[in-house]
Amino acid sequence: MKKVGLVMRKIQFSEAQGPRVFAERLRTLAAELGVEIIFISPERHVSGHDWIPGYEHEKGDLVNYDIVLDQIHAQGIEHVIFTVSGFTYLKMFIPKSVLFPHSFPDPALTGYEMMKPFYSIVDKAVVQTEFLKKQLDSVFGVTDVDVIPIGFSEELAHRYFDPAAIVHNRVLWIGRDEENRRPDLVLEYARRNPDQEVYMVFGGERYRESMKKYDIPGNVKLQFALSQAEIFQLMNSAKVYWSCSRFDTFAMPLTEALAMGKIVVKPEHPCYDHISSRHAFAGNEQNWFELVNMALASPLSHSMDNREYAFEKFSSSVMKEGYRQFFDGWLN
């Protein structure tokens, strides 16, 4: 079996959110394609100081190169996928290195200026959306880019799909307690709409503490670090899935929401252009509350159009075929 190293931060491997879910899916499908994915991360990280100038994640990654390279060489690995820009310099040691970005230098994201120098030396990347491929080309001149979705679990999307279980006043939001994700907007919506039931799901247990700084309305239910099965079960029960982030690299819950037939309310930003089915409505801070209420008031309880679109564009089968083609070219 050919070995491929997957380099991520320690905290990304430890939390039940996007990066960890991606890592698990990639490892499973790669094994089916005859490729062994080896998880690699530094033992130390700087997450506790992330927003102090000089201690940003990407700069902190630089002091971890010795640990990461030791693991790569110990495993005899010649091909590496790294998911954070701070490890871009791996290409100096491992020529067959590919970036799969979990973040992107966009003005909506904290630290985007600090990320840009790392992106300036990327020469090969895999991204989830056509928007990111265009950005890598137009902003950084990176032209060797494959677009492969992080495919949702078709098995879970079939197992938990049950329109009879939909709660017709339930809105679901999945994110983090971060400025970019706008949890404050969701709480304000709930305050203004006490008859609606709002679920807010956070990927890591660390947000249980940080959410204590907010005044949580009684119609808001907070959930932390749910399993994929729990996510799909809860997703099925909601009528509307709402994303109000400023920018997103993965947008995984949005594709899962489409797959579960949710009526979707999303941002107008072009990074969400791939979420473009019949019952996916783009808005902004001025009209999101109205859009969410209009979606809740729809005579439709769910959207088969959204579900069919997701299975065609974002399923695990689509992801597997994408990586089959990518590995065929990259590993040979």
Side-chain angles (χ1 to χ4, degrees):
M1 249 184 162
K2 193 82 174 179
K3 287 183 179 180
V4 170
L6 178 63
V7 180
M8 300 203 310
R9 293 196 184 103
K10 184 178 178 182
I11 197 167
Q12 292 174 318
F13 278 121
S14 65
E15 292 197 337
Q17 51 192 27
R20 175 74 195 198
V21 173
F22 160 70
E24 297 285 2
R25 288 184 192 166
L26 181 62
R27 183 165 64 177
T28 299
L29 75 82
E32 296 169 5
L33 297 173
V35 176
E36 182 183 5
I37 300 292
I38 309 291
F39 289 174
I40 294 171
S41 72
E43 289 303 309
R44 59 184 184 263
H45 56 79
V46 292
S47 61
H49 308 289
D50 184 34
W51 309 124
I52 301 173
Y55 286 90
E56 297 94 345
H57 273 318
E58 274 72 10
K59 291 177 183 174
D61 291 334
L62 296 179
V63 302
N64 288 310
Y65 268 63
D66 56 340
I67 300 170
V68 168
L69 285 168
D70 282 351
Q71 294 179 55
I72 289 171
H73 291 311
Q75 294 276 357
I77 291 168
E78 296 178 354
H79 293 76
V80 167
I81 297 171
F82 61 98
T83 65
V84 282
S85 60
F87 288 113
T88 301
Y89 291 102
L90 281 173
K91 64 178 268 186
M92 297 194 312
F93 310 95
I94 314 290
K96 293 277 193 173
S97 295
V98 175
L99 171 67
F100 186 108
H102 285 187
S103 194
F104 189 82
D106 185 273
L109 298 178
T110 303
Y112 87 101
E113 286 284 358
M114 179 268 303
M115 281 190 258
K116 287 198 281 193
F118 296 96
Y119 273 77
S120 66
I121 64 166
V122 171
D123 53 16
K124 185 175 181 63
V126 178
V127 296
Q128 177 162 340
T129 64
E130 289 290 341
F131 169 80
L132 285 170
K133 179 176 181 176
K134 289 174 190 165
Q135 288 295 96
L136 277 169
D137 184 6
S138 62
V139 180
F140 298 103
V142 183
T143 56
D144 187 358
V145 181
D146 291 86
V147 180
I148 309 174
I150 304 174
F152 62 85
S153 165
E154 290 155 275
E155 190 267 322
L156 291 176
H158 285 302
R159 188 197 312 169
Y160 290 105
F161 183 67
D162 177 14
I166 292 170
V167 179
H168 290 263
N169 69 334
R170 182 173 292 176
V171 179
L172 176 61
W173 174 95
I174 298 176
R176 303 170 183 165
D177 179 26
E178 294 173 359
E179 186 184 6
N180 171 50
R181 304 295 177 184
R182 302 306 310 272
D184 56 307
L185 271 183
V186 185
L187 295 171
E188 182 59 28
Y189 168 81
R191 261 188 289 277
R192 294 191 198 178
N193 296 273
D195 294 336
Q196 314 298 11
E197 187 182 63
V198 180
Y199 270 82
M200 299 180 73
V201 176
F202 298 86
E205 282 290 343
R206 60 182 162 145
Y207 302 112
R208 192 183 295 276
E209 189 62 33
S210 69
M211 286 302 290
K212 289 179 181 177
K213 67 178 176 285
Y214 298 104
D215 176 22
I216 309 293
N219 57 330
V220 171
K221 309 282 195 304
L222 302 180
Q223 302 279 301
F224 302 91
L226 299 183
S227 68
Q228 277 286 287
E230 289 168 329
I231 290 279
F232 274 84
Q233 192 167 15
L234 179 59
M235 186 80 80
N236 181 71
S237 74
K239 180 171 180 179
V240 174
Y241 181 80
W242 177 25
S243 168
C244 52
S245 296
R246 290 193 175 97
F247 186 89
D248 210 327
T249 317
F250 277 18
M252 281 168 54
L254 275 164
T255 60
E256 292 164 351
L258 291 176
M260 293 304 286
K262 301 303 95 183
I263 302 173
V264 167
V265 176
K266 62 163 189 164
E268 292 171 330
H269 194 289
C271 72
Y272 301 96
D273 281 353
H274 60 298
I275 309 296
S276 59
S277 189
R278 179 174 296 176
H279 300 110
F281 304 103
N284 56 58
E285 205 165 328
Q286 303 303 312
N287 65 4
W288 265 327
F289 293 6
E290 289 299 315
L291 275 177
V292 171
N293 283 335
M294 288 166 66
L296 287 168
S298 168
L300 283 177
S301 68
H302 62 288
S303 169
M304 291 306 294
D305 292 278
N306 286 4
R307 186 163 163 83
E308 289 163 10
Y309 175 80
F311 271 82
E312 178 189 343
K313 299 286 188 182
F314 309 117
S315 68
S316 53
S317 298
V318 176
M319 179 182 183
K320 183 175 179 179
E321 182 53 34
Y323 275 98
R324 184 196 308 280
Q325 294 178 26
F326 170 72
F327 287 145
D328 281 351
W330 183 48
L331 299 177
N332 297 322

